[in-house]
């Protein structure tokens, strides 16, 4: 299906099954221990051996020698894989540091070896017997210093240019009545998904089966083939359940490559899970940013000039963090510019983490907007509404496909009781606690991606959907079943969904909040094709109705399964997009509100109320979509108050590399969360008239918390995370 | 984990004898810290002697009217004991502020006293650490020190003692009962149990080889208000940035501070002068010899503010 | 009922894969699990009512015994260091982190994992409530959350206080604050906490 013009009325509009709060169809499996993740696909007595990954003990330099005889001689050890004996390895399209280092080391805990043994403990224990000598080299690990030296180079954000400029920012800013010029920083963050990266590899001749935990089946498969130097077709890659990814499992990682190499050497299936303390430096992270924001406005509150400069660092070949992306589109203002700078930093690979770009970008922009509102003596909600725009502010002839930011702000303010917000910071107290309200706008672009699927109708009227789409907790299994059931006019119980295997047509995969909208659009397309095949088979017109498990036309009511009486009917199709996303700006919008308490003695901060209002087109399943949003809000609380990969600038590593030292929110940190979805359809964005929502839920949350903390105690912290030590001495001593 | 010999101790005597005669042997009870460290080969015992079956899991009233807490009493049971909740609430509170319920269900009284630091450099075997590898250097000095010691540290180590329970035991003037292979027993004030690092940070307590903690004794309860305040970044399941254990009676006040030093930090001398001098001076005296880093000097401010409010809210 | 097949890997595929491997590398297979060097001991575990006599390396954790030796993979390994709670199981009525205990330390102990929580073929009310309230997303922490929730409600019933219990000398209550604190040893990075609380409240009858 080519999607080149806005969708007209279609089969999805009935909303008899889609858009209903259906419980997950894999819920019972996941709550009973029955859902088997990649690493669990080969159990006892399958002959699988265990691989343990060893990470580099330096950040930069060379392996001078790697002595493995003691490890090899250790009881139970089957093989030791190193760069020296692995053969020539390629590099995947999406990797910019090799997944097996040697002799060159590019970052801390980059894999240098895999020890394979009969048991997990034997492998782990033997791994410490490797004697590795390094020749360490000096690296750059300090983004502040690199920026101060002017090391940052202009860097495009994918297809967007490094510098954008419209109008005369400098002139307009100089003349503006009210000005803000502040610099904010966001730290390196870790995905910290609960399931570490893990794979099992098994060779049968030159055929490789890899069970793994991948958000993008086809990307992993292609990059694994490229890395191993074999044909893609030789690899069967299976990723049935994924224990969280958040971007950390978008790309092939060392567990997969080393499992394949280890299995080849040990001549056994090999299971490799990254040890948790290795995950933080071995894999990717969200890079730290330094962001300078300048806003100029007239006394009436209209923004006349806005500029956003962002610095981040990465290894050679790595991308910048696209923190300025939202600023180009969120608010009006005739004179505007952005600049993206990238410094060479020898920390581990910086890459996508949930809402890359917008998430850290709004952590800065939405605090700047709060500061600006205060300077203008305007309510922050009012200030944002005044500067809303229905067109791309850089190209006023280009409209948004649908933009209901104002409605989000208004409804949110009303439901949250925003009018009760203390006007003066540090003016509301309950005993030992200061109370503050904060809000922020949410913004995240929609991404249109090709996505294919295959549907098969059996004589019993059951329909099997196959696509290599993944379910990383997003609810893909369920919304795909809903989509197929709605389109085919059959009950949800007639649908079987099969995902996560390279045996199936290539989908968009999971990431960038593009998964739900594109994968269901692809399934919708395949189902529409199947409807044609069914109609043809039954001799009914193409515009026959599909409902109640029957195909209806005129007097005819034929059970859908009859079309497959002589054999399964199989249809394969997908969605491909034209230039609608060029003609229109497709984005999702929202508003976050929260209430925090700050302890007057200790500056301990806790969030006690949260609300998100989201406008993201059709919501395919309000139950699973709400879960995506509350989960994102939780991650936003982490970003605001605790999450930080701490850089040791001498060792060149993130030193707090486990789940005790890298704190993420626990249950006690999170209050009841409310989510409201605006009832809207976006026929320009997709045939489903839906857009993504999972990352929108994160964008702006941390700023809302930061603004609430400011409202509570009157101390503005521009350096995330906002930990109590940054407030303590600036807070008023309690009387 | 390096391979080891596992055996179960038949009796206290048996455990002590084997502990004394087996090179590089360790006792295991809860295992919640020991196994954690063994997986990283920070601890590499050649033998583990499982003492879980020994009858050291009782809480009994002493002749003096205090409580004797067996070494194997689980954290959960100690915190939930009605006598502890009634007479030593600071101890219940401190235990409940630590770890998670899952960990408290396994962790034991003696094991908790022996838990090792959470300094990230101690945990990273690729980094120098004098506590893990004597003589290799201290990476924390000049490194990431936000969570580390502001006082009692040395040039060879600035790690903190991470626990909560011991901070309460310190303010309660608890003593530790220790037994050796010959059946000799000794009593040690908790104040003297943990050692400051000096130039041997690998030695963390006063236990000699072959010695076993058999119980911890709480003196007779005193009429007092007891408070444990633990300050941390997230609301639960995290180690303290600073914690304050307080026992405030009609004419006395005792405070022990956690999270600031290699052992629970307390000054009886300063406490005596508190009523006259006030909390600001008390805090100054308590931290008189502090050597904070830029990253952790906030702990002193934080401690002072908690002391201030605890004292103001609970005195007389 | 919606059928939900284990999509790409059914039992047959696994066995076929393993057979292929066995054919190709039969010599390697014969050594499986026997030559790891560490001494082995036998231990008898009662897991979900079933007795398992296992011969294990001494250093095998309870978690690995369950997952890699018995094949009960419902219990998850999130960190292997007691920092996440994904491995929570109930031993003799109490929840513990199965990663921080040796299997040998549980001779004769009754272990309940997520697979055994409901009894045969059933669904424990907590499991049903988790589905109803969508109290999970990726599902990786879920087994631990559910085991933890069930044991947690028993702890409140037994009068075990928590960090947020206001009056240490009174019976603890099932307030949201109590449940949140008591469930804080189970990290959910997908952030389902608010729904987890709703699920637990439904089961406990709390408002």
């Amino acid at each position: 299906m080519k999607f080149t013009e806005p969708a007209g009325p279609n089969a999805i509009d009935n909303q008899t099954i889609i858009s209903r709060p259906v419980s997950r169809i894999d819920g019972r499996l996941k709550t009973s221990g029955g859902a088997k993740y990649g690493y669990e696909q080969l159990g006892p007595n399958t002959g699988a051996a265990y691989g343990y990954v060893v990470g580099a003990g330096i950040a930069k330099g060379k392996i001078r020698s790697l002595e493995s005889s003691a490890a090899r001689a250790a009881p139970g050890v089957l093989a030791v894989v190193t760069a020296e004996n692995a053969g020539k390895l390629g590099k995947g399209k999406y990797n910019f540091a090799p997944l097996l280092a040697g002799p060159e080391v590019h970052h801390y805990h980059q894999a240098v070896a895999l020890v394979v043994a009969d048991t997990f403990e034997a492998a782990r224990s033997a791994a410490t017997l490797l004697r590795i000598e390094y020749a360490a080299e000096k690296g750059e690990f300090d983004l502040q210093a690199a920026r101060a030296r002017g090391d940052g180079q202009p860097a495009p954000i994918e297809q967007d240019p490094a510098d954008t400029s419209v109008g005369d920012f400098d002139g307009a800013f100089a003349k503006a009545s009210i000005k803000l010029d502040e610099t904010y920083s966001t730290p390196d963050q870790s995905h910290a998904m609960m399931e570490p990266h893990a794979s099992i590899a098994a060779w049968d001749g030159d055929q490789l089966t890899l069970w793994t935990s991948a958000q993008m089946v086809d990307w992993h498969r292609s990059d694994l083939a490229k890395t191993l130097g074999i044909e893609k077709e030789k690899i069967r890659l299976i990723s049935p359940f994924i224990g969280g990814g958040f971007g950390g499992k978008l790309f092939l990682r060392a567990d997969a490559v080393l499992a394949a190499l280890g299995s080849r050497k040990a001549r056994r299936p090999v299971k490799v899970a990254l040890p948790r303390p290795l995950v933080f430096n071995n894999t990717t992270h969200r890079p730290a940013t330094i962001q300078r924001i300048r806003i100029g406005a007239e006394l009436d509150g209209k923004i006349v000039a806005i500029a956003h400069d962002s610095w981040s660092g990465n290894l050679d070949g790595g991308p910048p963090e696209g923190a300025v992306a939202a600023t180009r589109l969120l608010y009006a203002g005739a004179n505007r510019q952005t600049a993206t700078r990238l410094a060479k930093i020898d920390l581990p690979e910086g890459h996508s983490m949930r809402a890359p770009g917008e998430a850290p970008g709004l952590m800065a922009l939405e605090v700047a907007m709060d500061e600006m509102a205060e300077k203008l003596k305007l309510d922050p909600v009012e200030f944002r509404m005044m500067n809303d725009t229905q067109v791309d502010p850089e190209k006023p002839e280009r409209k948004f496909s649908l933009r209901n930011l104002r409605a989000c702000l208004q409804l949110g303010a009303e439901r949250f009781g925003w009018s009760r917000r203390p006007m003066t910071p540090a003016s509301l107290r309950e005993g030992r606690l200061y109370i503050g309200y904060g809000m922020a706008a949410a913004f995240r672009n929609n991404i249109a991606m090709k996505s294919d699927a295959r549907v098969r109708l059996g004589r019993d009227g059951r329909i099997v959907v196959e696509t290599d789409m993944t379910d990383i907790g997003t609810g893909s299994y369920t919304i795909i079943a809903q989509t197929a059931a709605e389109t085919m006019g059959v009950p949800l119980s007639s649908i079987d969904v099969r995902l996560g295997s390279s045996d199936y047509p290539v989908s968009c995969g999971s990431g960038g909040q593009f998964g739900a909208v594109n994968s269901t659009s692809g399934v919708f397309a395949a189902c529409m094709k199947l409807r044609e095949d069914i109609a043809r088979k039954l001799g009914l017109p193409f515009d026959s109705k599909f409902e109640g498990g029957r195909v209806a036309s005129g007097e005819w009511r034929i059970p859908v399964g009859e079309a497959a009486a002589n054999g399964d009917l199989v249809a394969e199709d997908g969605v491909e997009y034209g230039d609608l996303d060029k003609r229109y700006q497709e984005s999702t919008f929202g508003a976050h509100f929260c209430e925090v308490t700050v302890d007057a003695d200790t500056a301990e901060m806790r969030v006690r109320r949260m609300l998100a209002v989201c406008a993201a087109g059709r919501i395919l399943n309000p139950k699973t979509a709400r879960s995506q949003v509350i989960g994102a809000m939780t991650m936003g609380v982490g970003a605001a108050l605790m999450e930080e990969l701490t850089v040791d600038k001498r060792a060149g590593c993130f030193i707090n590399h486990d789940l005790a030292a890298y704190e993420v929110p626990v249950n006690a940190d999170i209050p009841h969360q409310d989510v409201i979805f605006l009832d809207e359809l976006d026929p320009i964005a997709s045939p489903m008239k839906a857009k993504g929502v999972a990352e929108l839920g994160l964008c702006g949350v941390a700023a809302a918390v930061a603004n609430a903390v400011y409202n509570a105690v009157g101390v503005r912290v521009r350096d995330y995370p906002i930990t109590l030590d940054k407030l303590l001495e600036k807070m008023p001593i309690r009387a | 984990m390096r391979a080891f010999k596992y055996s179960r101790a038949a009796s206290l005597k048996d455990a002590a004898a084997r502990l004394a005669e087996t090179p590089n042997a360790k006792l295991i009870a809860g295992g919640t810290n020991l196994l954690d460290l063994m997986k990283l080969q920070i601890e590499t015992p050649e033998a583990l002697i499982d003492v879980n079956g020994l009858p050291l899991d009782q809480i009994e009233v002493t002749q003096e009217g205090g409580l004797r807490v067996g070494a194997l009493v689980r954290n959960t049971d100690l915190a939930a004991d009605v006598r502890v909740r009634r007479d030593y609430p600071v101890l219940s509170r401190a235990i409940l502020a630590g770890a998670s319920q899952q960990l408290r269900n396994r962790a034991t009284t003696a094991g908790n006293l022996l838990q090792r630091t959470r300094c990230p450099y101690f945990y990273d075997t690729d980094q120098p650490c004098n506590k893990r590898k004597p003589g290799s250097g201290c990476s924390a000095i000049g490194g990431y020190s936000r969570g580390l010691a502001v006082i009692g540290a040395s040039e060879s180590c600035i790690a903190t003692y991470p626990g909560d329970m011991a901070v309460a035991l310190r303010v309660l003037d608890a003593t530790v009962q220790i037994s050796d292979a010959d059946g000799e027993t000794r009593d040690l004030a908790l104040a003297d149990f943990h050692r400051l690092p000096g130039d041997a940070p690998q030695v963390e307590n006063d236990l000699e080889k072959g010695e076993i903690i058999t119980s911890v004794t709480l003196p007779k309860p005193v009429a007092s208000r007891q408070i444990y305040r633990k300050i941390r970044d997230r609301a639960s399941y995290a180690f303290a940035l600073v914690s304050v254990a307080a026992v405030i009676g009609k004419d006395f006040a005792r405070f022990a501070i956690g999270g600031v030093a290699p052992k629970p930090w307390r000054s009886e001398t300063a406490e005596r002068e508190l009523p006259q001098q006030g909390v600001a001076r008390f805090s100054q005296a308590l931290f008189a010899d502090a050597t904070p880093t830029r990253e952790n000097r906030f702990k002193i401010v934080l401690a002072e503010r908690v002391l201030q409010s605890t004292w103001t809210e609970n005195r007389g | 009922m919606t059928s939900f097949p284990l999509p790409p890997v059914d039992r047959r595929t696994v066995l076929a894969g393993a057979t292929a491997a066995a054919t190709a590398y039969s010599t390697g297979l014969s050594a499986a699990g026997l030559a790891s060097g560490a001494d082995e001991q036998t231990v008898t575990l009662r897991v979900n009512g079933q007795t398992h006599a296992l011969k294990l390396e001494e250093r095998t954790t309870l978690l690995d015994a369950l997952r890699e030796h018995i094949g009960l993979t419902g219990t998850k390994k999130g960190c292997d260091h007691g920092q996440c709670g994904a491995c929570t199981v109930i031993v003799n009525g109490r929840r513990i982190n199965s990663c921080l205990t040796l299997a040998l330390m549980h001779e004769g102990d009754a272990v309940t994992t997520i697979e055994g929580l409901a009894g045969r073929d059933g669904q424990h009310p907590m499991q049903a409530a988790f589905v109803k309230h969508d109290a999970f997303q990726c599902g990786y922490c879920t087994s631990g959350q559910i085991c933890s929730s069930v044991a947690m409600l028993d702890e409140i019933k037994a009068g075990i206080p928590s960090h947020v219990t206001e009056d240490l000398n009174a019976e603890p209550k099932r307030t949201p604050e109590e449940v949140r604190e008591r469930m804080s040893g189970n990290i959910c990075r997908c952030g389902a906490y608010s729904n987890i609380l709703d699920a637990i409240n439904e089961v406990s009858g709390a408002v």
Side-chain angles (χ1 to χ4, degrees), chain A residues 23 121 231 368 427 452 478 511 531 580 722:
Chain A
S23 290
E121 289 294 351
E231 288 167 44
S427 63
D452 292 343
T478 308
R531 280 170 57 136
L580 278 171
I722 304 171

Side-chain angles (χ1 to χ4, degrees), chain A residues 303-473:
Chain A
I303 294 173
V304 294
I306 183 164
H308 191 162
D309 306 338
S310 171
W311 288 260
S312 59
N314 218 328
L315 290 169
D316 273 338
E321 182 66 27
V324 305
T327 307
R328 297 179 60 191
L329 292 161
L330 188 46
Y331 298 113
N335 304 288
R336 48 202 307 127
Q337 68 182 39
T338 67
T340 301
R341 298 291 177 267
L342 178 64
K344 167 113 180 357
I345 295 286
D346 297 296
L347 288 168
E349 291 165 275
H351 225 313
S352 300
M353 178 169 146
R354 197 174 201 167
E358 281 98 332
L362 290 188
M363 286 168 81
L365 177 64
E366 285 300 285
V367 171
M369 287 296 285
D370 199 65
E371 297 195 58
M372 199 61 193
E374 187 180 33
K375 284 174 189 276
L376 287 159
K377 300 188 173 60
L378 283 172
D379 181 277
V381 174
E382 184 60 31
F383 177 51
R384 284 169 174 85
M385 291 206 284
M386 289 176 73
N387 289 288
D388 187 35
T389 171
Q390 288 298 313
V391 297
D392 177 346
E394 290 178 5
K395 298 188 192 88
E397 68 284 4
R398 185 169 174 258
K399 289 187 172 140
F400 282 90
S401 62
L402 183 68
R403 176 169 165 131
N404 285 318
L405 175 62
R406 285 181 69 93
C408 294
L409 292 165
Q410 245 156 358
L411 184 62
E414 187 189 308
R415 293 291 174 85
F416 193 75
W418 182 250
S419 57
R420 292 195 299 273
R421 167 182 176 257
M423 293 302 288
T424 316
S427 63
L428 185 58
R429 277 263 295 276
E430 284 175 18
R432 202 157 80 187
L433 302 175
Y434 286 105
I435 315 295
Y437 285 29
M439 61 79 55
F443 175 93
R444 169 79 174 143
N445 280 329
N446 183 58
I447 300 173
M449 270 171 87
K450 185 175 184 308
S451 192
D452 292 343
R454 183 159 60 219
V455 286
R456 172 183 287 110
L457 171 69
R459 143 203 306 201
D460 55 1
R462 296 194 68 78
I463 291 164
V464 179
V465 185
E466 295 174 336
T467 166
D468 84 353
M469 180 60 189
T470 50
D471 191 331
I472 62 173

Side-chain angles (χ1 to χ4, degrees), chain A residues 413-731:
Chain A
E414 187 189 308
R415 293 291 174 85
F416 193 75
W418 182 250
S419 57
R420 292 195 299 273
R421 167 182 176 257
M423 293 302 288
T424 316
S427 63
L428 185 58
R429 277 263 295 276
E430 284 175 18
R432 202 157 80 187
L433 302 175
Y434 286 105
I435 315 295
Y437 285 29
M439 61 79 55
F443 175 93
R444 169 79 174 143
N445 280 329
N446 183 58
I447 300 173
M449 270 171 87
K450 185 175 184 308
S451 192
D452 292 343
R454 183 159 60 219
V455 286
R456 172 183 287 110
L457 171 69
R459 143 203 306 201
D460 55 1
R462 296 194 68 78
I463 291 164
V464 179
V465 185
E466 295 174 336
T467 166
D468 84 353
M469 180 60 189
T470 50
D471 191 331
I472 62 173
T474 37
S476 310
Y477 279 114
T478 308
I479 55 171
I480 283 173
Q482 286 176 275
T483 301
E486 186 76 61
T487 314
M488 299 309 300
V490 300
L492 193 61
S493 56
S494 297
I495 310 289
D496 295 329
V497 181
R498 298 185 181 160
L499 302 182
S501 167
S502 60
D503 295 346
Y504 307 144
V506 175
S507 71
C508 56
S510 300
Q513 81 173 19
F514 53 66
V517 54
N518 295 297
S519 69
T520 55
S521 292
V523 170
F524 170 72
C527 286
M528 289 309 290
K529 195 165 176 199
L530 182 63
R531 280 170 57 136
E532 284 182 19
D533 294 349
I534 292 169
R536 191 176 297 116
K537 198 87 180 176
L538 297 175
L540 296 177
F542 286 170
D543 64 354
S544 298
K545 279 201 155 51
F546 283 69
E547 52 190 23
R550 287 161 197 277
V551 192
S553 178
E555 297 301 300
W556 294 97
R557 297 280 182 282
I558 305 176
V560 68
E562 278 191 23
N566 301 320
D568 290 0
L569 278 191
V570 181
E572 191 167 329
D573 199 1
V575 67
E576 260 184 279
Y577 295 88
D579 66 349
L580 278 171
D581 62 343
K582 307 278 181 307
R583 280 147 64 193
Y584 297 89
Q585 177 56 41
E586 298 171 3
S587 306
T588 61
F589 304 89
H592 289 287
F593 293 82
C594 72
E595 180 180 329
V596 304
T597 64
V598 183
D599 188 295
D601 298 332
T602 63
E604 287 166 290
M605 291 153 277
R606 305 287 179 248
V607 180
R608 67 176 192 185
R609 218 151 60 85
M610 296 183 90
L611 166 70
V613 185
C614 300
R618 190 197 304 276
I619 297 302
L620 302 172
N621 179 332
K623 187 184 265 193
T624 52
R626 178 179 172 278
S627 290
Q628 287 303 294
V629 176
I630 67 166
M633 290 156 81
T634 301
M635 195 176 270
V637 171
L641 300 181
M642 61 192 83
E643 287 184 42
E644 175 175 25
L645 285 168
T646 307
V647 179
D648 184 300
K649 291 169 191 160
R650 307 156 308 164
C653 70
F654 303 127
I655 193 64
N656 54 337
H657 51 71
D658 62 30
L659 282 175
Y662 183 83
E663 289 188 13
V664 300
V666 295
N667 206 313
D669 289 299
I670 301 302
H672 174 75
Q673 295 162 320
D674 283 314
V675 180
I676 301 170
F677 295 111
L678 292 193
D679 190 7
E680 60 168 42
L681 301 175
D682 190 338
I684 296 171
S686 67
M688 299 295 288
K689 303 173 189 173
K691 291 179 280 198
V693 73
E695 300 191 336
L696 179 68
L698 174 60
C699 297
V701 177
V705 174
N707 294 338
V709 168
Y710 174 75
N711 184 242
V713 294
V715 180
R716 187 67 77 177
V717 178
R718 299 184 184 85
D719 171 31
Y720 289 99
I722 304 171
T723 46
L724 58 89
D725 44 310
K726 296 175 187 174
L727 293 183
L728 201 60
E729 290 179 75
K730 298 177 186 147
M731 269 172 48

